[in-house]
Amino acid sequence: MRHADLVAALEPYRDDGDEDVEHLHPVLAFRLAGAFWASQLMRDHVRIESGARSVEAQTHLFAKWREGRGNLAADPRRVIAPGFVGSYHMIQPADGWAWACDLTRIGPVSWSQVHEVLDAWSLLRTVPGEDWHIQHGRHTGIFGGPMPPESVWKADTAPYRLLRLRRPRIRGDYVRWVQARVGAVPDGIYGPATADAVADWQATHGLTADGVVGPLTHEALKEG
């Protein structure tokens, strides 16, 4: 099992198709994908309404709320704990993952029915009055429950994940691992300069020079 497999499993359940599931914490992604896999009710009646958020996205939501034009949103500058800021929806400095997502219902189903499934996967409501908001843990630790293989989320080397140019930018240890191997600045952000460096590396190693780190490029990078 790879992180990319979890992302692929969740993509059909994005509400508008643009929700960021690539940056959901691997344990959150694993449990949510498991809930969809195990439950027809989830597959038929639940969608991911809000995934991971960048600092810029959270700043925008917070500004709208302060202007009276949007729903309650946390100040992205708020310090929750060392390494955790703003909202658990945000991609966190501590590990490069978001620790929360919001769901929405479609069709005749109650939140109580939905949470019967989610509770079994230890995806819990952590905000009073917000049945749609779920987390797999807090800064104090991950809630006890089903866990993915450690290779997906806790390994000596960063686990593979599909890398391509997108907004919000993909960030994290795996990006740094790739940057170090293609000669890009190791800032942990997959931006245009890194994509260009990847494309150059691909071209000199007999691969399609598209700047996308897929399985073939990943394996070639491992081999040096």
Side-chain angles (χ1 to χ4, degrees), residues 70-94:
N71 296 326
L72 177 64
D75 185 340
R77 299 166 298 180
R78 177 181 70 137
V79 176
I80 300 171
F84 288 83
V85 297
S87 162
Y88 282 108
H89 282 283
M90 286 173 52
I91 299 167
Q92 294 297 326

Side-chain angles (χ1 to χ4, degrees), residues 33-49:
F36 279 114
W37 174 82
S39 169
Q40 187 71 46
L41 179 144
M42 290 284 295
R43 294 192 294 274
D44 289 346
H45 297 297
V46 177
R47 294 294 179 268
I48 300 166
E49 185 172 44

Side-chain angles (χ1 to χ4, degrees), residues 17-208:
D18 60 355
E19 292 78 12
D20 181 358
V21 295
E22 290 185 35
H23 288 94
L24 294 180
H25 191 287
V27 176
L28 173 55
F30 172 78
R31 292 180 180 179
L32 189 54
F36 279 114
W37 174 82
S39 169
Q40 187 71 46
L41 179 144
M42 290 284 295
R43 294 192 294 274
D44 289 346
H45 297 297
V46 177
R47 294 294 179 268
I48 300 166
E49 185 172 44
S50 180
R53 297 176 193 156
S54 64
V55 174
E56 294 78 12
Q58 187 68 31
T59 300
H60 175 70
L61 291 173
F62 180 63
K64 285 183 64 177
W65 172 69
R66 292 195 66 180
E67 294 167 2
R69 298 187 296 111
N71 296 326
L72 177 64
D75 185 340
R77 299 166 298 180
R78 177 181 70 137
V79 176
I80 300 171
F84 288 83
V85 297
S87 162
Y88 282 108
H89 282 283
M90 286 173 52
I91 299 167
Q92 294 297 326
D95 57 8
W97 303 107
W99 283 55
C101 71
D102 289 346
L103 305 177
T104 188
R105 297 170 297 165
I106 55 175
V109 64
S110 69
W111 280 120
S112 294
Q113 291 173 296
V114 173
H115 282 288
E116 283 185 18
V117 179
L118 297 176
D119 288 350
W121 287 87
S122 295
L123 292 172
L124 307 183
R125 291 165 283 190
T126 59
V127 180
E130 295 190 2
D131 286 330
W132 52 88
H133 177 101
I134 59 168
Q135 295 180 215
H136 69 288
R138 295 189 176 95
H139 65 275
T140 51
I142 293 172
F143 304 140
M147 296 291 287
E150 287 200 351
S151 61
V152 174
W153 71 286
K154 187 179 181 181
D156 293 335
T157 57
Y160 165 78
R161 62 193 302 187
L162 178 69
L163 297 181
R164 64 176 185 270
L165 279 181
R166 53 157 294 167
R167 289 191 180 278
R169 299 298 188 206
I170 301 173
R171 303 166 182 258
D173 290 340
Y174 181 64
V175 176
R176 291 187 184 90
W177 183 87
V178 169
Q179 289 170 327
R181 281 153 181 78
V182 300
V185 175
D187 60 1
I189 303 171
Y190 202 77
T194 299
D196 287 344
V198 167
D200 290 342
W201 190 93
Q202 290 169 322
T204 61
H205 287 77
L207 298 166
T208 301

